[in-house]
Amino acid sequence: MGGWEGGIRVPGIFRWPGRLIPGREVAEPTSLMDVFPTVVKLAGGTLPEDRILDGRDLMPLLEGRTNRSQHEFMFHYCGMYLNAVRWHPPDSDSIFKVHFFTPNFSPAGAVGCYDTSVCMCHGEFVTYHSPPLVFELSGDPSESRPLSPDTEPRLAEVLERVERAVTEHRRTLTPVERQLTWAKVLWKPWLQPCCGTFFLTFFL
């Protein structure tokens, strides 16, 4: 399941001779959603203003103008379900990760969903946590030691701040029409080009 750090910490490589410093390493988390605003700005375009964009311009990080990601919060989904939230508080080296549910690995004792071939995101395939599991990633990147009030005095503050961030995040979500209905995926010959190789092959 991508909510664990092993599925999130995937390296990316950027090369731009004359612009980016060769060999520079950036350990801050970014997202594929950051590619869109980065490319639009580099091309001199204008970002749409009729919607909220979750991506951030990567160039300040890539060029070394900042050492901190613009993502104070990152929201990790398993399918359509919000699985975990990462919080890097401003002016702090702490990185908290809050898990609302975790997968039930199978068979028992495994570290993956081998019986089902893929980790499912709902129902009996997951365990919901109330209160959520919280980890401090800078000291525990393997997410093996959940925090407790005894080990982290700020635990209640972390959960309260993440809960507010989730509420704010969900306010920005706008439902869209389902893209994979039968009416949309069935082949429509009347929408195909009227000429070309495909047309000739089909009718000859």
Side-chain angles (χ1 to χ4, degrees):
M1 176 184 292
W4 293 112
E5 286 297 287
I8 291 172
R9 297 192 180 206
V10 179
I13 299 175
F14 292 82
R15 182 174 182 270
W16 191 345
R19 180 89 182 245
L20 300 182
I21 301 172
R24 184 169 182 273
E25 293 185 10
V26 177
E28 286 291 284
T30 58
S31 166
L32 280 175
M33 294 183 293
D34 297 331
V35 173
F36 175 67
T38 303
V39 171
V40 169
K41 288 188 177 183
L42 286 172
T46 303
L47 292 171
E49 298 180 356
D50 62 341
R51 69 204 70 179
I52 294 175
L53 298 179
D54 293 318
R56 303 289 186 267
D57 183 7
L58 289 171
M59 291 308 293
L61 266 179
L62 296 178
E63 294 182 314
R65 288 181 275 129
T66 181
N67 294 316
R68 185 74 181 255
S69 168
Q70 295 183 50
H71 293 285
E72 180 181 350
F73 293 94
M74 295 192 81
F75 301 92
H76 302 296
Y77 280 81
C78 177
M80 60 184 288
Y81 303 97
L82 182 60
N83 168 221
V85 177
R86 174 195 303 262
W87 180 36
H88 193 170
D91 305 317
S92 172
D93 292 330
S94 297
I95 305 171
F96 297 103
K97 178 90 161 292
V98 176
H99 284 265
F100 302 111
F101 65 83
T102 52
N104 297 331
F105 291 147
S106 59
V111 290
C113 305
Y114 301 113
D115 287 345
T116 56
S117 299
V118 62
C119 289
M120 308 297 280
C121 306
H122 61 281
E124 63 185 16
F125 301 104
V126 301
T127 297
Y128 295 93
H129 302 288
S130 181
L133 295 180
V134 183
F135 301 92
E136 204 288 298
L137 297 180
S138 60
D140 181 25
S142 64
E143 297 171 283
S144 57
R145 301 187 302 274
L147 300 178
S148 69
D150 295 329
T151 60
E152 178 50 72
R154 298 169 293 175
L155 185 60
E157 174 193 344
V158 171
L159 288 171
E160 189 274 334
R161 183 63 188 94
V162 168
E163 183 179 348
R164 280 195 287 127
V166 168
T167 299
E168 294 163 12
H169 167 68
R170 285 183 167 145
R171 280 200 198 103
T172 70
L173 302 179
T174 304
V176 298
E177 183 182 356
R178 289 189 60 190
Q179 301 297 303
L180 298 177
T181 62
W182 279 111
K184 291 183 179 293
V185 300
L186 288 176
W187 180 59
K188 300 177 179 65
W190 58 89
L191 294 179
Q192 304 306 311
C194 64
C195 50
T197 305
F198 176 80
F199 183 87
L200 293 175
T201 301
F202 184 79
F203 285 99
L204 294 176

